[in-house]
Amino acid sequence: MTQVRPSVHLITASLFALLLNASCAQVPTDQEPPPPSAAHTSPSPFPPRMGHTSIATGNGVIIWGGHEEDQSRPEASGALYDPAQDSWTPIPQSPLAPRTRHSAVWTGKEMIIWGGSGEEKDGGRFLRDGAAYDPATQEWRKIRNAPFPISSASALYHSRHIFMGPGSPTSRDDLGKLAVYSLLRDSWETIDIGLRVYGIAPLGESSIAVVGESEGRTEVLEYRIGARGVREIISRGAADQMSSITLVADGSDVVLVLVPESSSSEVHVIDPDGNLVKESDVSGDLHGQVDMVQYPLGRGEGWLHGESVVSISDRGLSRVDLRTMESRSWQPKEFRGRCGGFSASSLMNDDIFVWGGRSCEGSALDAETAGLVVSL
């Protein structure tokens, strides 16, 4: 997600050509793809939680924060899971107060945590402070406070900036704002975008795409990152209100999958002229990464994986084949009874790592401290 390529288009020529061909002539498949397999990891050093974050570092996955059954009593501890050894190592205590539903990003060197909801003794208030953790040195450092407190925010690290899209701000005045942190300047700026943000994706070296909703319309906006901050805005188009979306990227390739309330799902891209284009309808069952009705709760994750768009949520695992525009969804038996942990999933090469959540009946998972490794 942090690769940088020399392009400012939402989609490269090769992937655009692939999608264009698929929109002109969908290719039937003779064989259905096999269902993904899931295996349990070794037990973690603490009970299962919700509202935590899961950050892939290249050498493993860091689980941090969240809460068990009581949201008003969050945690401030974490651990690194090593998939090669199937082992867990607790990380040092952070300088931050306990929190849940915070945001986290990986910069290539550090995990940076910001915001979230605090403890009951503090009124459960939303927070605006943050800190960075370096796994190589096992050290934490505080970062400058954000301009406003927020919980359950969409977050992206790109071009030495962290972008936070409001999930649950303390004020309705902050609902349509984007908070941007510059690592080089150790400073924040606030951009009033007028959208409720559902997803943020990187565009080449110097832009980001923001997908959100305003007055019943799903909109795509592009922001340019300059020497003086994130200033320039370009509207890329709009579509009718959707029930769910999946926004995925791997540097400069970006695909937006829209799932309407009725009719078939749709794949959208930005063409080389900068226009939002509906490339094709998608046949088959599909569950989006972000449920707009439940947002910011019930949120999943999504990725570009080879020539497919993969998304995971409480409803299961979905894959859209970009060559054929066919979609499949699965609910592996290991997923059943587990709710709420999929919003903190991480992609590790060809595996998705899932940990935490609660039982779908509302209580904590019964002594289920292991994670799941889902092989794609």
Side-chain angles (χ1 to χ4, degrees):
M1 293 296 292
T2 57
Q3 301 176 25
V4 176
R5 302 178 185 175
S7 170
V8 296
H9 297 308
L10 271 137
I11 195 156
T12 60
S14 60
L15 186 53
F16 180 75
L18 182 150
L19 286 167
L20 183 62
N21 292 335
S23 67
C24 296
Q26 296 186 4
V27 181
T29 56
D30 296 330
Q31 295 182 337
E32 293 185 352
S37 61
H40 286 89
T41 70
S42 61
S44 67
F46 35 65
R49 305 172 184 172
M50 294 183 62
H52 56 284
T53 48
S54 173
I55 295 296
T57 68
N59 296 317
V61 179
I62 300 176
I63 300 292
W64 193 88
H67 65 277
E68 294 181 32
E69 294 190 60
D70 188 351
Q71 184 172 333
S72 65
R73 299 175 62 186
E75 305 288 341
S77 58
L80 171 69
Y81 173 71
D82 182 345
Q85 303 296 325
D86 188 27
S87 62
W88 296 80
T89 304
I91 66 173
Q93 195 75 10
S94 83
L96 297 173
R99 63 196 60 206
T100 186
R101 306 198 188 286
H102 51 284
S103 299
V105 297
W106 176 249
T107 68
K109 178 184 177 183
E110 295 177 313
M111 173 183 72
I112 297 184
I113 291 169
W114 172 76
S117 179
E119 295 180 277
E120 183 179 23
K121 66 182 181 64
D122 296 324
R125 71 181 190 278
F126 291 172
L127 306 169
R128 65 190 189 105
D129 60 338
Y133 173 69
D134 185 339
T137 63
Q138 298 190 38
E139 294 180 347
W140 288 87
R141 64 180 179 87
K142 291 292 293 288
I143 63 173
R144 188 179 299 273
N145 284 356
F148 55 88
I150 198 170
S151 178
S152 303
S154 300
L156 170 72
Y157 171 75
H158 181 52
S159 189
R160 302 290 291 169
H161 289 76
I162 297 174
F163 302 87
M164 299 283 185
S168 298
T170 54
S171 168
R172 291 191 62 85
D173 292 339
D174 296 328
L175 186 61
K177 293 179 180 178
L178 195 69
V180 184
Y181 174 70
S182 168
L183 273 70
L184 294 177
R185 295 190 297 272
D186 186 30
S187 63
W188 289 87
E189 64 176 310
T190 301
I191 304 173
D192 193 347
I193 63 175
L195 296 179
R196 181 165 191 176
V197 177
Y198 292 127
I200 312 172
L203 306 179
E205 294 182 343
S206 58
S207 298
I208 63 167
V210 179
V211 177
E213 180 188 356
S214 176
E215 298 181 351
R217 298 277 284 171
T218 301
E219 297 192 32
V220 181
L221 303 177
E222 177 182 350
Y223 286 88
R224 299 274 175 86
I225 307 166
R228 297 183 179 180
V230 182
R231 301 294 180 189
E232 187 176 353
I233 176 176
I234 302 172
S235 178
R236 290 303 191 186
D240 292 336
Q241 186 175 21
M242 300 292 135
S243 64
S244 67
I245 69 166
T246 298
L247 177 68
V248 294
D250 67 349
S252 60
D253 295 346
V254 177
V255 177
L256 173 62
V257 181
L258 302 177
V259 183
E261 288 285 355
S262 58
S263 76
S264 61
S265 305
E266 307 163 2
V267 167
H268 289 242
V269 301
I270 298 297
D271 70 11
D273 295 324
N275 302 307
L276 182 67
V277 177
K278 176 184 173 182
E279 282 300 315
S280 180
D281 291 334
V282 178
S283 62
D285 189 28
L286 175 62
H287 304 307
Q289 162 194 358
V290 177
D291 187 328
M292 293 187 178
V293 176
Q294 299 185 48
Y295 185 84
L297 304 179
R299 185 171 54 188
E301 294 289 344
W303 305 273
L304 264 177
H305 181 258
E307 295 177 332
S308 297
V309 173
V310 177
S311 58
I312 191 170
S313 67
D314 288 349
R315 296 187 178 188
L317 183 71
S318 292
R319 186 202 307 266
V320 178
D321 188 324
L322 297 177
R323 299 165 300 177
T324 64
M325 292 300 171
E326 294 179 343
S327 175
R328 290 288 308 280
S329 293
W330 301 271
Q331 181 69 261
K333 64 180 185 301
E334 293 85 0
F335 286 21
R336 295 167 193 163
R338 180 189 293 257
C339 289
F342 299 99
S343 61
S345 303
S346 294
L347 182 65
M348 306 181 299
N349 298 319
D350 294 326
D351 297 323
I352 299 175
F353 176 79
V354 180
W355 181 86
R358 55 173 171 76
S359 74
C360 296
E361 283 70 39
S363 61
L365 289 170
D366 296 333
E368 179 60 88
T369 63
L372 294 175
V373 175
V374 184
S375 297
L376 298 175

